[in-house]
Amino acid sequence: QLQLQESGPGLVKPSETLSLTCTVSGGSISSSDYYWGWVRQPPGKGLEWIGSMYYSGGAYYNPSLKSRVTISMDPSKNQFSLKLSSVTAADTAVYYCGRDTIMVRRVIIYYDGMDVWGQGTTVTVSS
Amino acid sequence: QSVLTQPPSASGTPGQRVTISCSGSRSNIGTNTINWYQQLPGTAPKLLIYSDNQRPSGVPDRFSGSKSGTSASLAISGLQFEDEADYYCAAWDDSVNGYVVFGGGTKLTVL
């Protein structure tokens, strides 16, 4: 059974870089069928997709966050990571990692949702 | 301001059928399939419907999805107390380089 677990600091200072890691067990992130991504949820608010990456490096990002986001993969550890730079209080949220079903067939993209999620980790931006 | 528009709340009594709407545009729902998530209090979201109307394994057939043009709906029949949750729609948006957009979420209360 595929399981994902987020880890990283729960408190980040304003203007610094938020760094989180997602460890995958029960399956390989090198699977050719899936992307691996991040979603966040500010307190009391809705979901916001951050971005997703394929194991070989192709990625899609939310344009509103793209300038500050880096997603990277470490197949040797079966992990992928999120870095969000220049954080402010608005980046305070629960951050979820997940398996994203993005299928690229020639130039057409088929998206069937994030079908496996981690439990989420709370990150607070405060001095 | 979410790209997809959902009503903030919905309600029903046990046994009833309720629907939750999701409105978008040609670049998202009008061109691509819709997915729905259920988020129970204090838990991670769970994929409920994908590809407009497909249920992942284990999702009861009380949950169904439909789409027409740039709008979609999630229907829950035989409402149960355990269905009280937040529901989100999501779709791929072809604008910019392509990304996933969510609705703002609908809180379903079972009275």
Side-chain angles (χ1 to χ4, degrees), chain B residues 5 8 12 16 20 22 24 31 42 45 48 50 60-61 70 72-74 76 95:
Chain B
T5 301
Q16 260 189 336
I20 296 172
C22 176
T31 306
L48 200 63
Y50 68 95
D61 59 6
T70 58
S73 291
L74 171 71
I76 309 172
S95 63

Side-chain angles (χ1 to χ4, degrees), chain A residues 39 41 45-49 60-63 66 96 100 102 109 111-115 117-120, chain B residues 32-33 35 37 39 43-47 50-51 88 90-92 96-104:
Chain A
V39 171
Q41 184 170 35
K45 295 187 178 181
L47 302 171
E48 181 178 34
W49 188 79
Y60 296 94
Y61 294 106
N62 188 322
K66 185 176 181 179
Y96 297 99
D100 236 350
I102 299 173
I109 295 173
Y111 181 65
D112 281 346
M114 186 167 279
D115 66 344
W117 295 66
Q119 65 183 29
Chain B
N32 301 299
T33 58
N35 307 294
Y37 297 91
Q39 186 177 32
T43 70
K46 168 190 170 183
L47 184 63
Y50 68 95
S51 194
Y88 295 89
W92 189 262
V96 197
N97 292 318
Y99 68 113
V100 176
V101 292
F102 277 99

Side-chain angles (χ1 to χ4, degrees), chain A residues 42-115:
Chain A
K45 295 187 178 181
L47 302 171
E48 181 178 34
W49 188 79
I50 299 171
S52 286
M53 176 170 274
Y54 194 57
Y55 77 96
S56 61
Y60 296 94
Y61 294 106
N62 188 322
S64 69
L65 298 169
K66 185 176 181 179
S67 64
R68 299 193 292 131
V69 170
T70 302
I71 296 175
S72 59
M73 314 289 283
D74 189 343
S76 68
K77 295 182 179 179
N78 220 30
Q79 294 176 334
F80 59 103
S81 298
L82 169 71
K83 290 188 186 301
L84 180 65
S85 64
S86 305
V87 296
T88 69
D91 295 309
T92 294
V94 176
Y95 285 77
Y96 297 99
C97 64
R99 186 175 77 173
D100 236 350
T101 53
I102 299 173
M103 294 160 284
V104 183
R105 301 288 182 262
R106 297 189 181 182
V107 296
I108 298 176
I109 295 173
Y110 301 91
Y111 181 65
D112 281 346
M114 186 167 279
D115 66 344

